[in-house]
Amino acid sequence: MQDSEPFDWNLVYVGDETDYSEPDFGFLDVIDGLRPGRALDIGCGAGGLVMDLCQRGWQVTGIDIAANAIKAARKIVQAQALEATLHIADATRWQPDGHYDLVTNSFALPGDKEERVSVFHMIKNALAPGGTVLLKDFDSTMHRVSFFAGLDLVTVNEFTTAFDTFNILAAQLVDTPLYDYDSGGRVQDEPWTAAFLHAQRPCLPDN
């Protein structure tokens, strides 16, 4: 499926607390086993994961291409008396100003494989030695669903190839809830699938 114009992600968000959505609980299961440090959430949306990371003691930076998403995230984080650094930014061009112990991206990767290469390169540069990366997005088997037909979807192999120098702790297809994209509602039915990656940048060798 080819669009004549890029999708405007601002249309997905209102820009206030009503945009809140729960974080990826699969991510939180991994995060709860990590020591808090600096975290970067790429495609943070309205800040659901940002808020949970802050509550767990992480110093969090979130970026999203949609100004309305960042506007909502700021309101949601402030309402909980939390602090986070939030930027309106395109992940294919944005460069971090330091290293992070955790980098996450949940269903917010670019819909073009070449652009995903840029994001993966940024993630690898952003991670501190020993840092953890968590990625999840709709995988290519979702072409069976008409909404996804023709889209350039990610694969598990794409993840493992991009992070082949990392310690791969999990790389697999996982179930994810269905959504009715016409009405914005969740659909209770046979789960769709997503590609999931949990990897760790190797620590520096001892001198």
Side-chain angles (χ1 to χ4, degrees):
M1 181 174 66
Q2 296 295 328
D3 293 329
S4 58
E5 295 182 1
F7 181 75
D8 184 358
W9 284 100
N10 272 308
L11 300 176
V12 177
Y13 302 95
V14 177
D16 60 26
E17 292 87 347
T18 63
D19 288 322
Y20 173 81
S21 60
E22 293 179 336
D24 189 308
F25 292 106
F27 280 18
L28 291 179
D29 288 342
V30 175
I31 290 166
D32 283 339
L34 302 176
R35 178 181 298 177
R38 296 189 73 210
L40 170 64
D41 188 19
I42 301 169
C44 66
L49 182 58
V50 168
M51 186 177 70
D52 274 71
L53 285 166
C54 290
Q55 291 171 336
R56 285 164 167 75
W58 291 81
Q59 296 177 329
V60 187
T61 296
I63 67 169
D64 200 284
I65 198 169
N68 284 346
I70 295 299
K71 182 179 179 182
R74 286 171 177 159
K75 291 181 178 179
I76 289 167
V77 169
Q78 290 171 2
Q80 298 296 318
L82 301 169
E83 293 184 4
T85 301
L86 298 165
H87 299 292
I88 303 167
D90 183 340
T92 64
R93 299 179 178 86
W94 184 79
Q95 293 299 321
D97 60 354
H99 288 98
Y100 297 87
D101 304 293
L102 171 68
V103 177
T104 60
N105 185 301
S106 180
F107 296 99
L109 289 170
D112 176 86
K113 187 171 184 178
E114 291 185 4
E115 291 186 344
R116 289 196 293 269
V117 170
S118 297
V119 175
F120 296 153
H121 181 71
M122 182 267 283
I123 291 171
K124 289 186 284 187
N125 287 336
L127 272 170
T132 296
V133 56
L134 297 174
L135 305 176
K136 185 186 288 186
D137 216 320
F138 291 118
D139 72 284
S140 61
T141 67
M142 291 299 295
H143 287 147
R144 68 185 185 274
V145 178
S146 60
F147 179 85
F148 297 97
L151 296 181
D152 186 9
L153 300 177
V154 74
T155 67
V156 171
N157 184 64
E158 186 179 339
F159 279 161
T160 56
T161 299
F163 292 88
D164 61 351
T165 61
F166 279 42
N167 299 320
I168 306 294
L169 303 177
Q172 62 199 54
L173 293 183
V174 295
D175 290 343
T176 188
L178 284 74
Y179 287 84
D180 180 349
Y181 281 87
D182 291 329
S183 67
R186 182 167 173 169
V187 177
Q188 299 295 335
D189 204 339
E190 181 183 357
W192 291 352
T193 52
F196 170 68
L197 177 75
H198 172 197
Q200 184 180 50
R201 181 178 177 180
C203 295
L204 295 173
D206 295 332
N207 293 326

